């Protein structure tokens, strides 16, 4: 198990390096291939009446004249060893992992990411708990009452939940619940949990539910299918034959048996979301990593793009690793080696 | 009244295709310390019967009729919750395939501990001690270590021993073993059967062994009930069934018994065809499409359902053939054929 | 206590004067110092109630929280590093500049008046030197006095475009900076007296390379906001700009975060007749999803969409069809022109007759439709200078019936050009902009009527000027006969509007200029002449003359003078649009008290 984890960790680091190289290459090489010069790239990061000289200055400040390898090397060095940057009147040290300074705000990217991460984390974890609990609960009930009105209604809602775009459901739910009924917070009213836990939950309630609805549907279907299968297993009969109460049979034996795919998908979904719930954050104007990523891409702000890409990739890679380990925990028949 | 009395048990399942009469008017009885073998081909309703006794069809879609008396208590009409309380404690069951019958995600020990603690208000530690004792009792080596293994880490025979340990953990008065050896290879089968016999003597419980293989019950059973298409076709002492069987289906079963001196695939007097669907049970004698002696029943074989009637020695047979003819067939044709071959 | 009462009265009086001076029908009835109604009940919602010189719900009542929301984020809150009109409009709440646009509705708001300075700039040395004297009693939020050195320092640091790449560069280009000057961070010891002098704490002198007339306009731009050198943190200064205005930042305001402004206790209203400073507190949400922002505005959850660029398409249909909602909107004209450049370097458009054929053939109603019609899009433009810019005159050289184009006239000019059957060329536009695509398609249709065949050429907007339509070599080599374009004024006068789009000297062979097609020597001369003309009326006449010349050469096909649809949030008081801001004047706003 330990060797397995170490081996996977090394592979993850390699994976992250590859992701960083590809992202870097896309942003640096592709424009060059279609004929952009350091100056034309730099024009994006200056005001609209900037002179040619200003453009050159900015291009050289941003290091655009250096070869690709040098630029990439500088990026890696910053991540590992940190870097110095000039604020104008003074020089500041950007501690590792330093993903560079935004081309536009000229501020180090890492603190901004750290700043936004709690938003995404709050959103993702809250929504994940809701969708996991509600999705699994609905799935179990549907499976136990297969073909009933509840089952059919739940699966109908589940289908709608999966197919409706969150952007639309987000805006609609805001209009209805926040602006119409005034029972939830308006968009963009995020309050950090350490400032006011009550407000934190209040501000995230609607985003949680909206995002959870999207996923809960899938989990309900997955759970239902899994439960229909496990509840027919011989070991369920054994559990009943022992004299266990039906509730225990369903949860401890049935659900436990259906859990493996749910845990797997849950880990991957959560990992993906932790890198930024782009659409939900946008719909609800939440200042999380997803919004940050969109902003970074719209602004063509490479250091930001690198930063969020690496963070997102990190979570995906970690999620995969954790899921693999969890898989062995959940199913003792799986041996990691 | 006997310790276990089953009277006219009917278990029917309504399905989209029609009503499945898995058990249709079954009666038998069993005393403490005695063993009943229920024998029949696959699909004859043996498992449904055993699950019915345990009350495991309650709450499902089954229609259950008749009576089951266990130690003076009627179970068909009893509440599901009451019967649940008896399950595992008063009556327990050993299933056919111990690999699929044990939960793959819990250790063998945990599953025995769970069974014990449902009915005994003890700490986990005490229950664990008990589980180790039980494993030791069913002959698992190093039980204090193996108790933490998962089922997949056990061999087939060991798993069945563990299942037995789990079933016996609460010292049940009625033990039902549904094809306890079918999934095991022959040498292991014998060990398990020996174990069950020893344990039954030790615990003095009533034991029902369900099997499609008469050989399995030959040495263990006091009584044997032969089932076909949800009904009892012959019911008597082991002596009666082995030495004086009177039903053509029982003869067929005897003829298909695997023996140690033959390859298991070799069958002496195979029964042609396959068991009928329990939705459309053949009219008259349910066995008639497969019976070589249909022509000896005065045309009643495919029209009138035969009654279960006592022979002159007292065991029960369901066949239209005249009793003398059955006996002479057995003595003059079937028995010699089985012996010589 | 006593002092502040006097101060309030002074502001109220000043405001009342200001309002009375505009002579609109609404404000003469209300807005007097005596009747501080708070206004909510008095105001009647009506379409354009805060537009064209009118004040909606006038009030002098202080208090309350004014809520802004931004669907994006500032390029920077640092006065040295921002290039958004709304940022300059809003910035006046927390910084003051040497001069400022008068806080007044309509055309009167176009007037530049002294702010930190006692009076407008005093020219000398033939218009090459301007001297300003600061008022007395000016203080930063920490109570330290504001001196001319702080203003000079603000201008000097804004010179450093490596550190502040976004800000305007006019002062970089126009002042007589020493050679090799790199700003106060990299060349701290360099003597800049050739450009700026501060002989004493209240006097600041600017030296220009050439005589320049619009200096007072330049001095209202954000780089003249005073910055205390001791508190300057360079790129980090944006997180807490030291206030010189009526409001200051409550804590830090890092990029991407919501922030709030509170009253600056050291701001003295007696020095500042332009800022009524009605709300007690100002809250700003950033990165609010644009459609949600409109919903919140409609609903009353926020007061102002700070970008001031108009509502989202999804909201427009809802708002314009609901009379109650429409009554809360205003439809101002912007100092922005959507147009098509006609480069003279591409055959056969090097021939003026062929260019005139294009002018006549174009169906401008199609252009207007492409931009969303008269309310969302704007008015059909006949020449360059928008009506909001002083000196604007309507010039109709290529009049066609109903602006739908004149096929006959166009054909005559094609004949004269030697292309009687028309010709083929390409039209460039920014791929990400559906309105520009619709424009190109509309022109493709209307020009086809006379045989001019256009091929659509979408290019990425990020490099549109640097590599494609704004790159002369690319234009020549790829036969870009027409290029869809647009321009909004940096500040509201002829120079601010025209210089970047008609001065041939801003065109660079390496690309990057907004001027794609105008290379007229006498226009360059006229620009220089106007730049040094100190008489405003004469100057404005020259702007129109330039406009006329560009139209005569037929190198620009004007399309639409843009308009926007703005919504007044619920409970706003003292709302008006000034020509200088072309959106609500953020300094004037107040909120009704419940
Ligand atoms: N829950 C059920 N619903 C419908 N049919 C059932 C159900 N359980 C068992 N059966 C049917 O009852 C018949 C007897 O089954 P079973 O008792 O398992 O046979 P066996 O004698 O092999 O143990 C089979 O045909 C089976 O399909
Ligand atoms: S009744 Fe007839 S058909 Fe049935 S078993 Fe007896 S002989 Fe065979
Ligand atoms: Mg069975």
């Amino acid at each position: 198990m330990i060797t397995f984890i170490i081996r996977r960790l090394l592979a993850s680091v390699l994976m992250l390096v590859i992701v960083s190289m590809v992202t870097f290459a896309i942003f640096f090489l592709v424009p060059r291939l279609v004929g952009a010069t350091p100056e034309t790239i730099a024009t994006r990061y200056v005001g609209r009446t900037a002179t040619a000289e200003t453009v050159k200055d900015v291009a050289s400040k941003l290091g655009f004249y250096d070869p690709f390898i040098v630029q990439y090397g500088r990026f890696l060095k910053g991540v590992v060893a940190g870097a110095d940057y000039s604020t104008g009147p003074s020089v500041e040290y950007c501690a590792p992992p330093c993903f560079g300074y935004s081309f536009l705000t000229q501020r180090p990217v890492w603190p901004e990411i750290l700043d936004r991460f709690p938003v995404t984390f709050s959103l993702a974890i809250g929504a994940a708990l809701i969708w996991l609990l509600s999705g699994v609960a609905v799935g179990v009930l549907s499976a136990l009452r297969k073909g009933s009105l509840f089952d059919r209604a739940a699966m109908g809602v589940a289908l709608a939940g999966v197919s409706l775009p969150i952007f639309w459901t987000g805006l609609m739910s805001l209009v209805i619940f926040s602006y119409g009924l005034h029972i939830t917070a308006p968009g963009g009213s995020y309050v950090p949990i350490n400032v006011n836990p009550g407000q934190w939950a209040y501000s995230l309630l609607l985003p949680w539910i909206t995002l959870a609805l999207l996923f809960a549907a899938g989990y309900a279907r997955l759970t239902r299918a899994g439960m229909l299968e496990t509840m027919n297993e011989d070991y369920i009969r054994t559990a009943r034959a022992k004299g266990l109460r039906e509730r225990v049979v369903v949860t401890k034996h049935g659900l436990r048996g259906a859990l493996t795919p749910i845990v797997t998908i849950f880990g991957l979904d959560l990992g993906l979301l932790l890198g930024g719930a782009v659409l939900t954050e946008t719909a609800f104007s939440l200042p999380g990593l997803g919004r940050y990523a969109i902003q970074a891409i719209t602004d063509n702000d490479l250091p930001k793009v690198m930063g969020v890409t690496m963070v997102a990739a990190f979570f995906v890679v970690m999620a995969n690793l954790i899921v693999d380990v969890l898989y062995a925990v959940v199913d003792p028949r799986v041996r990691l080696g | 009244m006997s310790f276990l009395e089953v009277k006219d048990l009917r278990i029917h399942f309504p399905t989209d295709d029609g009503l499945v009469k898995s058990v249709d008017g079954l009666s038998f009885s069993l005393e403490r310390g005695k063993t009943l073998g229920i024998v029949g081909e696959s699909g004859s309703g043996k498992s449904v019967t055993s699950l019915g006794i345990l009350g495991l069809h309650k709450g499902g879609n089954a229609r259950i009729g008749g009576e089951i008396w266990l130690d003076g208590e009627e179970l068909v009409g009893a509440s599901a919750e009451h019967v649940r309380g008896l399950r595992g404690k008063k009556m327990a069951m050993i299933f056919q395939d111990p690999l699929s019958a044990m939960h793959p995600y819990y250790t063998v020990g945990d599953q025995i501990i769970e069974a014990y603690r449902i009915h005994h208000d003890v700490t986990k530690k005490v229950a664990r001690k008990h589980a180790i004792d039980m494993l030791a009792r069913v002959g698992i080596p190093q039980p204090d270590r193996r108790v933490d293994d998962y089922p997949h880490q056990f061999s087939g025979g060991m798993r069945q021993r563990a299942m037995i340990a789990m079933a016996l953990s609460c010292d049940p008065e009625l033990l039902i073993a549904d094809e306890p050896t079918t999934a095991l290879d022959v040498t292991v089968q014998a060990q398990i059967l020996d174990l069950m016999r020893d344990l039954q003597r030790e615990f003095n419980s009533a034991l029902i062994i369900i099997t499609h293989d008469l050989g399995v019950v030959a040495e263990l059973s006091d009584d044997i009930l032969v089932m076909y298409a949800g009904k009892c076709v012959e019911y008597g002492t082991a002596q009666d069934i082995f030495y004086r069987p009177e039903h053509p289906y029982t003869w067929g079963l005897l003829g298909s018994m695997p023996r140690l001196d033959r390859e298991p695939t070799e069958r002496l007097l195979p029964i042609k065809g396959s068991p009928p669907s329990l939705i459309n049970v053949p009219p008259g004698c349910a066995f008639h499409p497969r019976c070589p002696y249909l022509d000896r029943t005065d045309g009643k074989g495919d029209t009138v359902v035969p009654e279960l009637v006592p022979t002159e020695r007292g065991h029960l047979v369901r066949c239209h053939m005249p009793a003398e003819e059955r006996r002479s067939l057995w003595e003059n044709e079937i028995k010699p054929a089985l012996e010589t071959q | 206590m006593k002092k502040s009462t006097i101060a309030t009265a002074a502001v109220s009086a000043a405001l009342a004067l200001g309002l009375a001076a505009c002579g609109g029908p609404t404000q003469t009835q209300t807005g007097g110092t005596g009747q501080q109604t708070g206004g909510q009940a008095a105001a009647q919602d009506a379409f354009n109630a805060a537009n064209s010189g009118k004040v909606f719900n006038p009030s002098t009542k202080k208090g309350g929280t004014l809520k802004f929301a931004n669907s994006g984020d500032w390029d920077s809150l640092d006065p040295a590093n921002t290039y958004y009109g709304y940022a300059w409009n809003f910035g006046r709440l927390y910084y003051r500049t040497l001069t400022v646009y008068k806080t007044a509705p309509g055309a009167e708001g176009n007037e530049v008046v002294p702010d930190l300075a006692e009076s407008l700039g005093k020219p000398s040395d033939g218009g090459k030197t301007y001297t300003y004297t600061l008022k007395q009693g000016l203080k930063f939020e920490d109570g330290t006095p504001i001196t001319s050195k702080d203003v000079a320092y603000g201008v000097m640091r804004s010179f450093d475009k490596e550190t502040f790449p976004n800000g305007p560069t006019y002062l970089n280009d126009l002042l007589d900076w020493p050679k090799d000057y790199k700003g106060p961070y990299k060349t701290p010891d360099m003597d800049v007296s050739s450009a700026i002098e501060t002989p004493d704490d209240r006097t600041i002198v600017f030296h220009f390379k050439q005589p320049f007339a619009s200096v007072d306009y330049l001095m209202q731009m954000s780089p003249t906001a005073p910055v205390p050198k001791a508190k300057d943190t360079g790129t980090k200064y944006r997180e807490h700009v030291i206030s010189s205005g009526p409001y200051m930042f409550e804590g830090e305001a890092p990029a991407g975060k919501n922030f709030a402004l509170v009253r600056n206790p050291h701001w003295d209203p007696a020095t500042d007749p332009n800022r009524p400073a009605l709300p007690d507190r100002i809250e700003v949400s950033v990165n609010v999803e644009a459609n949600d922002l409109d919903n919140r505005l409609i609903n009353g959850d926020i007061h102002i969409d700070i970008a001031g660029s108009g509502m989202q398409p999804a909201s427009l249909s809802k708002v314009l069809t609901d009379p109650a909602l429409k009554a809360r909107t205003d439809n101002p004209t912007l100092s922005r022109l959507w147009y098509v450049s006609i480069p003279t370097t591409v055959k056969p458009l090097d021939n003026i007759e062929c260019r005139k054929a294009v002018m006549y053939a174009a169906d401008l109603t199609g252009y207007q439709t492409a931009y969303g019609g008269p309310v969302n899009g704007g008015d059909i433009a006949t020449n360059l200078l928008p009506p909001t810019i002083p000196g604007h005159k309507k010039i109709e050289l290529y009049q066609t019936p109903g602006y739908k184009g004149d096929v006959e006239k166009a054909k005559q000019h094609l004949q004269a050009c030697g292309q009687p059957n028309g010709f083929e060329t390409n039209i460039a536009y920014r791929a990400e902009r559906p309105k520009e695509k619709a424009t190109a398609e509309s022109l493709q249709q209307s020009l086809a009527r006379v045989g001019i065949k256009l091929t659509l050429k979408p290019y990425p907007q990020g490099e549109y000027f640097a590599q494609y339509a704004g790159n002369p070599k690319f234009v020549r080599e790829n036969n870009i006969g027409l290029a869809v374009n647009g321009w909004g004024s940096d500040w509201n006068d002829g120079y601010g509007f025209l210089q970047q789009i008609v001065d041939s000297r801003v065109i660079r062979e390496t690309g990057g200029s907004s001027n794609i097609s105008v290379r007229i020597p006498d226009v360059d001369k006229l620009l220089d002449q106007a730049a040094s003309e100190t008489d405003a009326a004469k100057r404005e006449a020259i702007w129109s003359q330039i406009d006329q010349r560009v139209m005569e050469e037929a190198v620009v096909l004007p399309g639409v003078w843009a308009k926007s649809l703005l919504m007044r949030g619920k409970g706003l008081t003292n709302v008006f649009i000034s020509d200088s801001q072309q959106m609500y004047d953020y300094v004037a706003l107040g909120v009704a008290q419940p």
Side-chain angles (χ1 to χ4, degrees), chain A residues 255-276:
Chain A
L255 190 53
R256 182 69 176 72
L259 217 54
T260 312
I262 298 173
V263 167
T264 308
I265 304 282
F266 182 71
L268 297 180
D269 279 346
L270 192 60
L272 214 56
L273 268 190
L274 284 176

Side-chain angles (χ1 to χ4, degrees), chain C residues 95-101 112-121 130-135 138 146-152 155 171 196 202-206 215-226 244 271 274-275:
Chain C
Y95 57 75
R96 296 177 65 179
T97 40
L98 285 176
T99 60
V100 72
Y101 280 115
V112 174
V113 295
D115 188 0
L116 290 172
E118 279 181 338
S119 63
L120 295 181
Y130 279 76
T131 305
Y132 292 85
T133 307
L134 302 195
K135 287 171 183 161
L138 301 170
I146 297 171
T147 70
S148 55
K149 302 212 167 38
D150 300 318
V151 177
V155 174
L171 289 174
I196 307 180
R202 287 182 55 213
T203 309
I204 182 163
V205 183
F206 294 97
V215 169
D216 287 324
Y217 280 100
L218 292 181
M219 294 306 161
Q220 60 78 31
M221 295 177 95
S222 56
T224 74
S244 48
T271 66
N274 270 293
R275 294 174 175 83

Side-chain angles (χ1 to χ4, degrees), chain B residues 42-43 46-48 96 178-179 210:
Chain B
S42 168
K46 308 181 300 288
S47 296
V48 170
Q96 171 174 359
D178 188 352
E179 312 253 15
I210 289 173

Side-chain angles (χ1 to χ4, degrees), chain B residues 36-37 222-226 232 234-241 314-316:
Chain B
L36 169 69
D222 300 300
D223 291 343
I224 291 178
L225 186 155
V226 180
C232 169
E234 188 159 15
Y235 179 29
T237 64
Q239 314 293 331
D240 289 339
I241 299 300
H315 88 269
L316 301 170

Side-chain angles (χ1 to χ4, degrees), chain C residues 289-300:
Chain C
E289 198 284 314
N291 291 296
D292 185 41
L293 194 157
D294 282 351
N295 287 335
R296 291 165 74 175
L297 192 58
I298 291 168
N299 175 264

Side-chain angles (χ1 to χ4, degrees), chain A residues 61 84-93 101 105-108, chain C residues 78 80-81 153 156-165 182-188 229 231-238:
Chain A
K61 172 172 174 151
D84 286 327
Y85 80 106
S86 163
T87 63
S90 62
V91 170
E92 288 211 351
Y93 177 62
Y101 325 105
T105 63
Q106 297 179 66
R107 303 280 297 123
Chain C
D78 189 324
N81 201 23
Y153 183 73
M156 284 156 66
R157 73 195 277 281
S158 77
F159 184 93
D160 185 349
K161 287 290 164 257
E162 237 180 272
T163 309
F164 305 114
K182 292 246 174 235
Y185 306 140
K186 295 186 194 72
T187 48
K229 187 173 179 182
K231 297 269 171 77
D232 182 17
T233 48
T235 54
K236 290 165 83 177
Y237 188 65
R238 64 147 358 254

Side-chain angles (χ1 to χ4, degrees), chain A residues 31 34-37 39-41 43-55 57-58 60-61 85-90 92 103-108 112 115-116 119 167 171-172 174-175 178-180 182 186-190 281-287 291 295 300 304, chain C residues 70-75 81 83 153 160-170 172-173 182 185-186 232-236 238-239 254-258 285-293 295-296 299 301 318 336 462-463 466-468 471 487-490 500 508 510 512 514:
Chain A
V34 300
T37 62
E39 290 87 7
T40 55
I41 298 175
T43 46
R44 287 176 173 161
Y45 313 111
V46 299
R48 62 175 182 170
T49 60
T51 60
E53 203 181 333
T54 302
V55 171
D57 285 351
V58 169
S60 82
K61 172 172 174 151
Y85 80 106
S86 163
T87 63
S90 62
E92 288 211 351
F103 290 165
L104 284 171
T105 63
Q106 297 179 66
R107 303 280 297 123
E112 297 196 336
D115 196 58
R116 279 160 177 77
V119 181
F167 206 75
L171 283 179
M172 286 313 289
L174 273 174
V175 167
S178 295
Y179 309 140
H182 297 282
S189 42
Y190 174 77
E281 289 174 20
T282 304
F284 292 97
S285 310
L286 294 169
R291 282 289 272 180
Q295 199 66 52
N300 238 45
K304 286 188 185 175
Chain C
N70 191 342
S71 65
D73 195 5
W74 272 251
D75 42 0
N81 201 23
Y83 215 131
Y153 183 73
D160 185 349
K161 287 290 164 257
E162 237 180 272
T163 309
F164 305 114
N166 299 323
T169 55
Y170 293 100
N172 286 30
D173 304 336
K182 292 246 174 235
Y185 306 140
K186 295 186 194 72
D232 182 17
T233 48
T235 54
K236 290 165 83 177
R238 64 147 358 254
E239 289 169 23
K257 287 298 204 60
N258 299 347
S285 309
V286 299
N287 290 323
V288 176
E289 198 284 314
N291 291 296
D292 185 41
L293 194 157
N295 287 335
R296 291 165 74 175
N299 175 264
D301 186 52
K318 177 160 130 197
R336 174 176 290 280
E463 267 98 36
Q467 283 207 64
Y468 302 103
N471 187 315
W487 179 253
S489 181
D490 282 355
Q500 287 290 325
R508 288 187 299 256
T510 52
S514 293

